Amino acid sequence: MSYQKSSFRHPNLAVNDLGLTHRDYEGSLSTLCSGCGHDSIGASIVQACHELSLPPHKIAKLSGIGCSSKAPTYFLGKAHGFNSVHGRMPSIVTGANMANRDLTYIGMSGDGDTAAIGMGQFAHVVRRRLNMLYVVANNGVYGLTKGQTSATSDRGSKSKGGEENLLEGIDLPTLAIQLGATFVARSFSGDKNQLVPLLKAALSHRGFAFIDVLSPCVTFNNHNGSTKSYDYVRDHIQTASVTDYVPVKEEITTACPPGVCRDICLHDGSILRLNSVAENYDPQDRAEAIAAIERHKAKGEILTGLLYVDPAAEDLHEVMQTSHRPLNTLSESCLCPGNDRLQMINDSFR
Amino acid sequence: MHSIKSVNEFVIRFANVNGTGSASANLLFAKSLFRMGIPVSPRNVFPSNIQGMPTWYEVRVSEKGYLGRRGGGADIVVAMNAQSLAQDMRNVLPGGYFLYDSTKPLDPALVRSDVNILGMPISEICLREYTDPRQRQLFKNVIYVGALAALLDIEFEVIKGLIADQFKGKEKLIIPNIYALELGHQYASTNFKCPLDVRVKRSDQVGDKIMLDGNTATGLGAIYGGASVVGWYPITPSTSVVEKFMQYAKRLRIDPATGQANYAAVQMEDELAAIGCVIGAAWNGARAFTATSGPGVSLMTEFLGLAYFAEVPVVLVNVQRAGPSTGMPTRTQQPDITACAYASHGDTKHVLLFPSSPKECFDMTADAFDLAERLQTPVIVMSDLELGMNDHLSEPMQWDDERRYDRGKVLNEEQLDEIERFGRYLDVDGDGICYRTLPGTHAEKGSFFTRGTSRDRYAVYSEQGDVYVDNVDRLTHKFKTAATLVPPAKITRQGKGQKIGLIYYGTTAAAISETVDTLTEKGIKVDSLRVRAFPFGQEVADFIDSHDQVFVIEQNRDGQLRSLLINELEINPRDLKAVLHYDGLPITARFISGRIEELLLDAGNKKSTRNVASR
């Protein structure tokens, strides 16, 4: 690579519980277009992981193919990464998670990688309730192949060349809720204040956490007529609730008056506090969550924030009752039944 | 009338309707001969259907130990399917026997004067004895086994013992089953001259052998080989590999203290996801595998290319069936040699193992995990429907308790501490195999990006030509290392200096001893070589070099292994003659020896023609 990231760091950078600064969570220098929403998502992931004091090397970041899938190179440089094949990250992360339940899994995907070629794998990783964070950097366009319309592009949205999309766009959060995701949110790469707490909550959630992040493509989908441009998204965003993430160690000092805010306790004891709840929105009501997304869509609005959460649901390991010790640490003594057993098995075939 | 006379050397064919419970009765028959020490090879010939279509079960009984399919007609046909009576009658050899349900009289047009026809009113007996329609159906099968016991002189105590074993824990079922056996036995003893001229006699040819299907042995091989993650998708004829794995894992892989599972078998949404799951688990340091058949391999090829290029250990079991496309899903072939050896776009090559018996299914599957982790690449176990789904006489499975898994070159935290700079694709040892790290090993060192894109020795993305060539040439070098690690070919010689060589692999093995004997009787002496793996070892090239005429025997149309030999060992195509059988039934010694004789005659004629011309 022709560019090297400077190793210079400010001496007074804030350190987390592990004594690490946010620089310890960064990756290599981005090669995405300047102003790309995906880089903002990466920066939010860096901040969320830093603030949660997750050991960077205990995170695995996996992706498919596309601009979004290149993004993991640009955050969490101390974590192993897997840039797999187009639309197939969900199966890779399923196997990885089965092998080692102790790591934190971040899947980074795009709208093409998830809603088109990867739709089948996406649907099934959701219904398996794999314990992971699945982020879609959603820009409604194929960037790496230079500007083709994607499956999440809204009907009526115009391409850079002025062509109108005549087909229905897929709403991924709706789909994720229907398929059994236990944490579903939508956010905007341009709104770190909303995105970072959502990421922190999603990373603390046990089970399948999905965040659809509108992430404008500055090169191919940021023009007038596009419904995924910075301007359009800013003008049409509606927040279901403002989410605060309160880690386990912090005491909650302010009470939560009903009707104004709502506290949801996550599996690890941390608290999700939802403020300024729109229309008394209940994010633990699946049917209502889907209805709310539809209602806002009908008004031309994009509903963001935490859309649905079920903090008590079991993840795939619990369903399958797999060993609490990661399977990749088991040795011969646990795995191999030995020759005596084999001779008994032989006898059963005589 | 002439009657076939034979003791312990015959073929019996059962014609049934699928879904009527005949399979377990037929297995009871085969296993009773096995327990009398007589070598048997049973085969199901079944449709891709659940209920109502014709299905056949053929048992070859061979004191000589010829356990390949014999081919041709059967000495005895048990015709229990009204739909296929005409076909089944045609199938009886002259002088053979035709046992049918005479409740409904046999169409006189079907009667053959050269066949001994034995009519037994089985439905009538069932109607008389049972009121429950399901019992009437199920016990029909047991009744004909009872009749065969009398007709063929099978030791009744042996069958009773098998029934007692089969219904262990469900003792209530033993008495009615034995009663049904006796009904058949009694009818046959009273109404036919028992035993027939074709019959069995206790033997000592079985020894300590076991009888099981290859898929069960493969599933067990994966248990013993330490597989802890399975991603899978059902497809005939591979499904039972994973089902057996799970069945044994429920017994052998549950932690007694916690009740937790020391394995995870995830049924994925398709074959793409199945191999993806395996790649993810193996990348993360668990031993993982999947099993599939041809159509699944086609779907997995993109991922196989990723695993090859990104160097992730993968174990894939391919239980082959007749292709192309959906082909004949319940018929056997060896049609995926090319598709697997070179699976995926770009320059790719994969390690293949060719088991030929259940014992080898067990060994090679367990070994595949060592090989895959040592070589950091996919290893494909090439079974087939004949091996996987039929019961075979096999050497018993063995496990050396001293054996330790070869986990390959994986750096731990301490080793990473000692290294100046970790390079995922640095060929430190010069064997083309690099050191890998597992996610989460070290706080500061060893992380890298696994990817399908070209990268340099430090795993950094690169599209520079020299960097790319450096990497793919190392992969070629690694494949050469693989040739030294895979199981070598097995060579059998008929004395020194034979000029004719046979090359074969997989289930063709069952027909080879009979082929060699048949050819020897005709004065044709041959050496033979059984290929057990790809890449080929030097011994394969030497064998071809040291024989004037080499026949490559395969169960596919295009001579796929022959092409692979020509391509990989730079053999002149004229030096390898193809002997190809591909109708979906297992290859026979009759076919092989017949074809070789033809080809030898052809070659002889050409030679003499040439000689004439040159004069």
Side-chain angles (χ1 to χ4, degrees):
Chain A
M1 238 187 306
S2 42
Y3 298 98
Q4 284 293 323
K5 207 165 189 168
S6 160
S7 60
F8 173 81
R9 62 178 61 185
H10 193 282
N12 297 330
L13 275 181
V15 294
N16 63 12
D17 291 349
L18 302 173
L20 301 175
T21 73
H22 80 266
R23 297 295 304 268
D24 293 306
Y25 289 80
E26 289 179 349
S28 56
L29 203 66
S30 175
T31 60
L32 297 170
C33 305
S34 143
C36 176
H38 301 1
D39 281 331
S40 312
I41 299 173
S44 295
I45 290 174
V46 166
Q47 188 182 334
C49 293
H50 178 241
E51 289 178 7
L52 285 174
S53 295
L54 297 176
H57 72 294
K58 294 291 185 190
I59 300 170
K61 42 182 189 169
L62 300 99
S63 60
I65 293 292
C67 292
S68 60
S69 294
K70 287 170 71 169
T73 317
Y74 318 128
F75 57 80
L76 299 170
K78 290 174 182 175
H80 272 63
F82 199 145
N83 192 186
S84 68
V85 295
H86 202 14
R88 315 293 175 217
M89 171 269 282
S91 62
I92 300 264
V93 72
T94 299
N97 189 309
M98 289 298 99
N100 185 357
R101 62 191 297 167
D102 284 355
L103 300 182
T104 299
Y105 293 92
I106 301 177
M108 183 82 186
S109 184
D111 39 303
D113 199 55
T114 291
I117 190 170
M119 182 58 107
Q121 295 221 337
F122 172 68
H124 288 273
V125 75
V126 176
R127 68 179 274 270
R128 278 195 287 273
R129 294 186 172 168
L130 195 75
N131 186 16
M132 72 174 296
L133 164 61
Y134 192 118
V135 178
V136 168
N138 188 350
N139 57 18
V141 76
Y142 285 84
L144 269 185
T145 50
K146 302 189 192 270
Q148 299 76 20
T149 299
S150 94
T152 63
S153 177
D154 298 301
R155 186 139 62 111
S157 182
K158 286 203 172 94
S159 77
K160 204 177 177 182
E163 220 167 307
E164 192 177 317
N165 174 32
L166 303 174
L167 304 178
E168 199 58 41
I170 293 170
D171 187 79
L172 289 170
T174 305
L175 209 62
I177 295 168
Q178 281 172 343
L179 290 166
T182 50
F183 182 110
V184 178
R186 177 158 29 219
S187 190
F188 173 40
S189 64
D191 186 359
K192 252 183 146 180
N193 288 336
Q194 185 193 47
L195 180 55
V196 173
L198 284 175
L199 284 166
K200 284 158 77 174
L203 285 163
S204 306
H205 174 74
R206 183 192 55 184
F208 189 82
F210 177 70
I211 308 185
D212 178 38
V213 188
L214 296 164
S215 178
C217 174
V218 288
T219 306
F220 297 109
N221 208 10
N222 199 30
H223 46 269
N224 278 341
S226 159
T227 60
K228 297 263 192 301
S229 67
Y230 276 109
D231 286 346
Y232 187 93
V233 172
R234 278 207 184 92
D235 288 349
H236 294 81
I237 218 159
Q238 266 296 324
T239 311
S241 59
V242 176
T243 311
D244 268 346
Y245 175 81
V246 187
V248 189
K249 57 176 182 160
E250 277 176 31
E251 201 183 333
I252 296 186
T253 48
T254 53
C256 182
V260 180
C261 76
R262 185 191 293 271
D263 282 349
I264 296 168
C265 184
L266 296 180
H267 183 256
D268 65 355
S270 55
I271 303 283
L272 257 182
R273 173 161 286 190
L274 311 178
N275 293 300
S276 344
V277 184
E279 305 163 22
N280 208 12
Y281 189 85
D282 178 4
Q284 289 180 262
D285 181 338
R286 251 169 100 157
E288 173 51 25
I290 292 170
I293 295 170
E294 286 292 332
R295 271 199 308 276
H296 285 275
K297 191 180 168 193
K299 286 193 278 179
E301 293 169 353
I302 308 160
L303 189 65
T304 63
L306 178 70
L307 302 171
Y308 176 72
V309 66
D310 175 3
E314 290 186 318
D315 85 322
L316 186 59
H317 278 291
E318 289 167 295
V319 171
M320 295 179 60
Q321 299 181 2
T322 37
S323 163
H324 288 182
R325 279 177 59 198
L327 294 175
N328 70 349
T329 63
L330 301 179
S331 63
E332 278 98 338
S333 58
C334 292
L335 299 173
C336 185
N339 193 45
D340 288 346
R341 284 307 285 263
L342 191 58
Q343 296 319 308
M344 285 160 67
I345 293 168
N346 278 335
D347 281 341
S348 72
F349 296 115
R350 290 201 167 103
Chain B
M1 191 196 338
H2 153 78
S3 289
I4 298 172
K5 291 185 178 49
S6 175
V7 177
N8 288 359
E9 208 71 48
F10 61 90
V11 170
I12 178 167
R13 191 170 235 241
F14 299 83
N16 302 98
V17 179
N18 79 335
T20 58
S22 57
S24 58
N26 295 343
L27 179 63
L28 177 68
F29 169 84
K31 211 153 180 193
S32 62
L33 304 193
F34 164 75
R35 283 211 181 163
M36 285 174 66
I38 309 161
V40 284
S41 60
R43 283 181 184 82
N44 256 308
V45 179
F46 61 104
S48 181
N49 181 269
I50 300 302
Q51 207 178 57
M53 282 177 66
T55 175
W56 290 272
Y57 187 77
E58 191 177 278
V59 181
R60 183 170 188 187
V61 181
S62 175
E63 178 84 11
K64 289 183 200 153
Y66 293 159
L67 297 178
R69 189 169 68 92
R70 190 181 71 181
D75 302 86
I76 305 167
V77 168
V78 180
M80 292 297 138
N81 183 358
Q83 288 175 68
S84 63
L85 277 179
Q87 185 182 349
D88 295 329
M89 180 64 90
R90 277 198 300 277
N91 196 253
V92 188
L93 289 172
Y97 297 85
F98 185 80
L99 177 66
Y100 77 105
D101 183 353
S102 60
T103 309
K104 194 176 166 235
L106 191 65
D107 178 354
L110 293 181
V111 174
R112 274 172 58 185
S113 58
D114 61 343
V115 168
N116 300 287
I117 296 175
L118 310 172
M120 178 172 167
I122 301 183
S123 296
E124 203 181 295
I125 297 173
C126 283
L127 219 55
R128 188 184 71 218
E129 295 286 336
Y130 305 103
T131 48
D132 175 24
R134 189 161 161 74
Q135 285 192 339
R136 282 177 179 167
Q137 177 53 52
L138 282 177
F139 284 123
K140 262 190 203 174
N141 306 315
V142 185
I143 289 173
Y144 71 66
V145 174
L148 287 170
L151 290 166
L152 300 179
D153 209 12
I154 304 170
E155 293 170 21
F156 208 71
E157 285 307 307
V158 169
I159 311 185
K160 274 162 76 175
L162 275 164
I163 285 187
D165 288 356
Q166 190 186 340
F167 296 109
K168 204 167 267 172
K170 298 180 232 165
E171 271 74 15
K172 268 204 297 201
L173 295 173
I174 296 177
I175 292 171
N177 271 284
I178 290 178
Y179 179 69
L181 270 178
E182 276 166 351
L183 282 174
H185 195 276
Q186 212 169 27
Y187 186 92
S189 316
T190 320
N191 295 282
F192 309 127
K193 183 184 151 283
C194 291
L196 305 175
D197 289 339
V198 174
R199 59 190 170 81
V200 298
K201 200 178 112 197
R202 181 167 277 278
S203 171
D204 57 0
Q205 291 301 304
V206 165
D208 70 342
K209 289 200 176 75
I210 55 176
M211 196 165 97
L212 82 167
D213 61 273
N215 284 356
T216 299
T218 303
L220 277 164
I223 295 262
Y224 275 76
S228 59
V229 178
V230 187
W232 68 291
Y233 189 76
I235 178 172
T236 303
S238 75
T239 310
S240 57
V241 170
V242 175
E243 284 177 342
K244 290 292 173 181
F245 174 90
M246 293 192 292
Q247 189 184 314
Y248 280 104
K250 275 181 197 145
R251 276 159 50 185
L252 303 169
R253 286 282 192 81
I254 302 294
D255 188 292
T258 61
Q260 293 163 1
N262 284 332
Y263 72 100
V266 188
Q267 185 180 334
M268 303 296 286
E269 60 272 26
D270 54 30
E271 287 89 346
L272 286 78
I275 191 91
C277 176
V278 171
I279 292 172
W283 170 75
N284 224 350
R287 291 195 149 188
F289 85 104
T290 188
T292 193
S293 190
V297 171
S298 291
L299 290 176
M300 290 175 182
T301 50
E302 185 187 25
F303 256 146
L304 284 169
L306 172 75
Y308 169 80
F309 200 42
E311 301 183 64
V312 181
V314 164
V315 173
L316 166 62
V317 177
N318 178 8
V319 187
Q320 299 168 92
R321 69 187 212 191
S325 189
T326 309
M328 296 197 284
T330 59
R331 296 289 182 266
T332 198
Q333 255 186 18
Q334 300 172 320
D336 302 337
I337 312 304
T338 317
C340 287
Y342 300 132
S344 212
H345 56 273
D347 291 321
T348 51
K349 283 184 189 186
H350 304 292
V351 175
L352 311 180
L353 302 177
F354 301 103
S356 68
S357 67
K359 166 81 158 65
E360 254 184 1
C361 285
F362 176 82
D363 289 341
M364 285 186 175
T365 304
D367 293 349
F369 292 96
D370 280 0
L371 280 169
E373 289 200 312
R374 171 55 47 187
L375 292 163
Q376 300 175 17
T377 200
V379 174
I380 310 177
V381 181
M382 303 289 285
S383 180
D384 65 21
L385 183 144
E386 155 73 355
L387 178 54
M389 290 190 73
N390 285 320
D391 284 314
H392 300 265
L393 213 58
S394 169
E395 295 296 327
M397 297 170 282
Q398 300 290 342
W399 187 262
D400 176 4
D401 286 329
E402 299 301 306
R403 173 173 173 174
R404 292 291 164 264
Y405 298 149
D406 177 4
R407 305 303 310 260
K409 300 182 185 181
V410 183
L411 295 176
N412 62 26
E413 193 177 7
E414 295 73 44
Q415 289 166 319
L416 275 167
D417 272 331
E418 286 163 19
I419 292 174
E420 183 92 9
R421 187 184 172 199
F422 167 67
R424 169 65 182 96
Y425 299 103
L426 275 176
D427 186 6
V428 178
D429 303 325
D431 55 5
I433 307 167
C434 308
Y435 287 82
R436 63 179 186 135
T437 56
L438 303 180
T441 302
H442 195 289
E444 297 293 331
K445 292 162 101 177
S447 72
F448 69 98
F449 244 96
T450 299
R451 46 164 43 108
T453 38
S454 175
R455 84 304 304 221
D456 67 11
R457 292 174 178 187
Y458 295 92
V460 177
Y461 176 74
S462 171
E463 287 188 37
Q464 283 183 51
D466 55 341
V467 169
Y468 171 84
V469 169
D470 175 64
N471 186 43
V472 295
D473 284 353
R474 180 183 53 75
L475 289 173
T476 302
H477 182 49
K478 182 168 90 167
F479 208 65
K480 285 188 179 137
T481 302
T484 67
L485 298 175
V486 296
K490 288 247 184 203
I491 298 173
T492 311
R493 294 184 198 279
Q494 279 192 311
K496 269 188 185 165
Q498 295 309 327
K499 293 188 171 141
I500 302 172
L502 313 184
I503 293 181
Y504 64 99
Y505 56 99
T507 47
T508 303
I512 290 299
S513 69
E514 189 181 1
T515 300
V516 171
D517 289 354
T518 310
L519 290 173
T520 307
E521 277 167 26
K522 299 189 173 172
I524 305 165
K525 284 199 169 181
V526 294
D527 291 339
S528 56
L529 176 145
R530 177 159 70 86
V531 172
R532 295 201 301 163
F534 174 71
F536 307 117
Q538 185 56 40
E539 74 282 3
V540 180
D542 292 345
F543 182 88
I544 296 170
D545 275 353
S546 61
H547 289 85
D548 293 348
Q549 274 171 309
V550 177
F551 297 94
V552 185
I553 307 157
E554 300 188 61
Q555 301 183 57
N556 57 59
R557 185 193 68 183
D558 291 344
Q560 297 183 22
L561 188 89
R562 176 176 172 270
S563 300
L564 203 58
L565 289 164
I566 289 167
N567 193 33
E568 295 288 329
L569 300 177
E570 299 192 18
I571 309 283
N572 184 339
R574 286 173 192 209
D575 293 344
L576 298 179
K577 292 270 178 287
V579 176
L580 304 170
H581 185 274
Y582 45 89
D583 66 2
L585 292 173
I587 196 167
T588 65
R590 268 181 210 185
F591 172 83
I592 302 170
S593 55
R595 187 80 189 109
I596 287 174
E597 281 181 74
E598 268 172 38
L599 288 166
L600 285 172
L601 204 64
D602 257 16
N605 288 344
K606 268 181 202 152
K607 214 177 191 175
S608 51
T609 319
R610 256 204 311 273
N611 286 345
V612 172
S614 65
R615 250 180 235 153

